[in-house]
Amino acid sequence: MQLTGAEIVIECLKEQGVDTVFGYPGGAILNVYDALYKHQDEIRHILTSHEQGAAHAADGYSRATGKVGVCFATSGPGATNLVTGIATAYMDSIPMVAITCNVGVALLGKDSFQEIDIAGITLPITKHNFIVKDVNKLADTIRKAFVIAKSGRPAPVLIDIPKDVTANKAEYTRQERTPSKKEEICCSQELEGALKLIKTSKKPYIFVGGGAVLSEASKELLEFVDKMDAPVTDSLMGKGAFPGTDERYTGMLGMHGTKTANFGVSECDLLVVIGARFSDRVTGNAKKFAKNAKILQIDIDAAEMNKNVLITQGIVGDIKTVLQQLNKILPQQEHREWMEKIRENKEKYPLRYNPETLTGPHIIEEIYRQTQGDALVVTEVGQHQMWAAQYYKYKEPRTYLTSGGLGTMGYGLGASLGAKVGRPEKTVVNIAGDGCFRMNMNEIATAVRHQIPIIQVVMNNHVLGMVRQWQDLFYEKRYSATILEDKVDFVKLAEAMGAVGIRVETKEEFAEAFKKALKLQEPVVLDCQIGCDDKVWPMVAPGADLSKTFDETDKREG
């Protein structure tokens, strides 16, 4: 049948099983929005307050559900406002399709009103992108975009469509979505090499990254850990792939990792790295990272092998498939002395904070207690992000959503909206600092407009907390441009946008306020007043060896 390009866009989204789109309309994309109007009972559109919020919402939807997130934007500034959200998704390997519309084909390259080369701009931060100048190629391009976004190492794909292409007509025939196939067999030589490393190890450690989440490998990972009889650490992106409640879990690795994990990885003789890319925030001094260990890396992306850290053995393949194959051939291992030492270190080096007053760690632990560990936690970037990673025990994958690679302030609120839309049965809590909340706080209006009951917790210390922490520790307390003392009232702001706002200053007040927020089932902003000099402990200085992890006691004593 003959359809306009705009109608083809909507039909192709329906083919792909898309039920929600996040976006903001404008002149160049009007035809698509007009076509969407006729299908609003099949595809829900969430009108965000800003295009950046739409990109982050599509990202959060994808992380929470495992589906491909979709966002719309018009030409020019509408399209460029997506860029930070696309880059955020790209750095964390999140499958997303961004559809932008541009000026007509005849106007391209002529500095037309609201024209921008969005394909050129996003080339370094997308897995692939397209500009579709022929309506006859539109349907196949959209289908291809979804396959590319989801297959292999996932990532965002952008499709730019000139306005006249959305108006032109072409023959459209519905196609059934083809499920993506995974490689079923790994290289036997690689598997045998891995098996040899594992069987000869006396002090193994397992490091889990976001690839284990993306490949849905939690079940296989748990079996692998059982067979390995090894302690487990993770990255920000790997949270929940292995349950944080398991006795073999030792906390996060890296700059704000636990002493147990950092010391253990520094001492182990084999580090099995599953779906992680050796970020500098994880390794510290890369030349000294796991200096006593052989390294076995399992990753779907061959480009990650030997990129940041030299490894002993690599297995390139889908994490789930590789672990299935390893589990078939791996005999039960036993490392009683090593596991006992790790247990002793966990007791010797617990996470600590001041129990006398309202602090970030206390807030996280109270949220954990009241949600019984079943919430979907989203964060912005900074101290609160680290506390949420340290003190909430993530039992399942896709329950901790954060900007790990790009470190995007302003990510969390939009992402929490997408997460709640994608998984409405979950309690969704966005944790923010006051600096991050200011970035995209206009999305509270989106939550109210669409009746999306998220809980926004603001750890309000009236400073840019993580930057101030570095200024305190490494810049002799020169607090340049990090003090946010002004008259902004987040409670009044929340109320002005139609949400519930509650200010809390004590532990007791927070417990009551959060309990109320859970019952209300509507957008709530909790303005939590905490100390401006509270710090995230432990810490590794930038570029230092992980074995040099220190905390407040170490700093005071030496």
Side-chain angles (χ1 to χ4, degrees):
M1 58 181 158
Q2 288 280 314
L3 295 179
T4 66
E7 291 168 334
I8 289 171
V9 169
I10 303 305
E11 290 301 327
C12 285
L13 293 181
K14 287 162 59 179
E15 282 181 13
Q16 298 299 321
V18 174
D19 55 22
T20 308
V21 171
F22 307 87
Y24 205 98
I29 202 171
L30 266 179
N31 291 334
V32 175
Y33 271 87
D34 191 53
L36 179 63
Y37 182 83
K38 302 164 190 172
H39 296 272
Q40 55 189 297
D41 57 333
E42 298 166 279
I43 298 177
R44 183 184 184 187
H45 180 269
I46 303 294
L47 175 64
T48 54
S49 298
H50 190 282
E51 290 91 352
Q52 185 180 341
H56 292 324
D59 172 308
Y61 176 94
S62 178
R63 295 190 202 222
T65 65
K67 301 176 184 177
V68 177
V70 180
C71 57
F72 283 173
T74 196
S75 63
T80 58
N81 282 344
L82 294 178
V83 169
T84 298
I86 293 171
T88 301
Y90 180 77
M91 287 289 282
D92 291 341
S93 303
I94 304 304
M96 187 168 85
V97 171
I99 297 177
T100 58
C101 287
N102 217 321
V103 299
V105 172
L107 295 174
L108 291 172
K110 296 182 178 179
D111 292 334
S112 305
F113 177 67
Q114 290 194 334
E115 179 201 355
I116 200 75
D117 178 12
I118 193 62
I121 288 171
T122 59
L123 188 62
I125 54 167
T126 52
K127 191 174 181 181
H128 198 81
N129 61 29
F130 304 89
I131 178 163
V132 186
K133 298 180 181 179
D134 181 353
V135 69
N136 294 292
K137 297 179 179 178
L138 182 57
D140 285 344
T141 300
I142 294 171
R143 292 166 185 144
K144 191 183 297 183
F146 275 83
V147 171
I148 292 170
K150 188 73 173 170
S151 61
R153 181 176 182 167
V157 176
L158 180 130
I159 309 168
D160 193 33
I161 313 169
K163 185 171 183 178
D164 50 346
V165 174
T166 67
N168 296 340
K169 288 192 172 184
E171 188 65 25
Y172 165 80
T173 305
R174 179 178 172 80
Q175 290 187 10
E176 291 302 317
R177 182 172 29 142
T178 345
S180 56
K181 293 183 179 179
K182 292 181 179 178
E183 188 66 41
E184 294 300 327
I185 301 174
C186 306
C187 172
S188 58
Q189 190 175 353
E190 291 179 346
L191 290 173
E192 288 299 325
L195 189 61
K196 184 178 179 181
L197 286 173
I198 293 169
K199 289 170 74 173
T200 55
S201 169
K202 303 296 183 186
K203 297 189 289 184
Y205 224 105
I206 297 171
F207 172 39
V208 180
V213 174
L214 294 168
S215 64
E216 311 288 354
S218 292
K219 179 183 174 184
E220 290 76 12
L221 176 61
L222 187 60
E223 182 182 348
F224 180 71
V225 172
D226 284 342
K227 286 197 162 191
M228 277 277 294
D229 189 31
V232 180
T233 182
D234 57 16
S235 68
L236 277 178
M237 304 310 303
K239 291 286 170 192
F242 185 80
T245 50
D246 192 288
E247 65 177 1
R248 290 162 297 192
Y249 179 68
T250 61
M252 187 169 64
L253 185 68
M255 179 173 281
H256 292 293
T258 63
K259 283 188 172 184
T260 301
N262 286 354
F263 293 166
V265 167
S266 298
E267 188 181 343
C268 72
D269 64 6
L270 174 66
L271 182 62
V272 182
V273 182
I274 302 175
R277 59 181 180 82
F278 298 111
S279 159
D280 59 292
R281 288 299 174 95
V282 161
T283 63
N285 186 331
K287 291 180 180 178
K288 295 183 178 180
F289 177 72
K291 55 184 178 291
N292 298 306
K294 294 178 179 178
I295 297 177
L296 167 62
Q297 185 178 8
I298 305 169
D299 202 283
I300 198 165
D301 189 352
E304 290 299 334
M305 304 292 170
N306 295 306
K307 186 176 84 174
N308 295 330
V309 170
L310 292 177
I311 63 172
T312 311
Q313 167 83 48
I315 303 179
V316 178
D318 173 69
I319 302 292
K320 188 182 185 78
T321 303
V322 173
L323 290 180
Q324 285 172 345
Q325 298 294 320
L326 276 174
N327 287 337
K328 287 179 184 177
I329 61 174
L330 177 63
Q332 181 64 50
Q333 304 296 296
E334 185 176 322
H335 305 102
R336 191 172 298 171
E337 288 183 15
W338 175 238
M339 292 302 292
E340 182 57 35
K341 180 172 185 179
I342 296 299
R343 276 190 286 273
E344 288 173 359
N345 280 353
K346 284 177 70 174
E347 292 179 9
K348 185 178 180 181
Y349 303 121
L351 294 171
R352 295 188 180 94
Y353 65 89
N354 180 6
E356 302 300 321
T357 186
L358 184 66
T359 62
H362 174 82
I363 288 170
I364 300 300
E365 289 193 331
E366 182 64 22
I367 292 171
Y368 180 79
R369 187 185 69 80
Q370 291 201 30
T371 60
Q372 299 179 319
D374 290 327
L376 199 160
V377 176
V378 189
T379 78
E380 307 288 348
V381 170
Q383 290 179 313
H384 59 276
Q385 176 191 33
M386 296 298 107
W387 288 324
Q390 291 174 327
Y391 288 94
Y392 200 98
K393 298 179 180 66
Y394 300 93
K395 298 182 287 187
E396 299 173 357
R398 303 191 182 280
T399 53
Y400 179 67
L401 313 186
T402 194
S403 173
L406 196 62
T408 305
M409 292 176 70
Y411 164 80
L413 185 48
S416 68
L417 299 178
K420 183 64 177 178
V421 169
R423 298 185 69 181
E425 79 286 357
K426 280 283 188 183
T427 295
V428 175
V429 184
N430 183 47
I431 314 291
D434 47 324
C436 289
F437 183 57
R438 292 162 185 257
M439 293 275 183
N440 283 324
M441 59 190 178
N442 50 1
E443 298 303 341
I444 290 293
T446 305
V448 174
R449 180 188 304 118
H450 293 281
Q451 298 180 336
I452 304 171
I454 53 102
I455 300 173
Q456 171 66 65
V457 174
V458 183
M459 295 186 184
N460 192 350
N461 56 7
H462 303 278
V463 295
L464 298 178
M466 186 60 86
V467 186
R468 182 183 175 91
Q469 177 166 335
W470 280 45
Q471 288 173 332
D472 188 37
L473 296 174
F474 310 119
Y475 290 85
E476 298 177 338
K477 300 188 178 183
R478 294 186 293 273
Y479 301 128
S480 177
T482 52
I483 298 172
L484 304 177
E485 286 288 2
D486 51 34
K487 295 184 179 180
V488 176
D489 186 326
F490 292 146
V491 172
K492 288 182 179 177
L493 186 139
E495 292 170 348
M497 288 191 279
V500 174
I502 307 172
R503 183 174 292 105
V504 300
E505 298 181 359
T506 67
K507 295 194 295 184
E508 294 75 19
E509 286 176 354
F510 180 77
E512 284 303 311
F514 193 79
K515 183 179 179 182
K516 180 179 179 180
L518 287 172
K519 287 182 179 178
L520 282 175
Q521 288 299 302
E522 58 183 286
V524 179
V525 176
L526 302 181
D527 180 10
C528 307
Q529 304 292 313
I530 66 170
C532 66
D533 286 315
D534 289 354
K535 290 181 176 60
V536 180
W537 299 113
M539 185 174 186
V540 179
D545 183 349
L546 291 189
S547 65
K548 304 299 183 185
T549 305
F550 67 96
D551 58 21
E552 192 171 19
T553 303
D554 299 321
K555 183 176 180 294
R556 195 165 48 241
E557 292 176 354

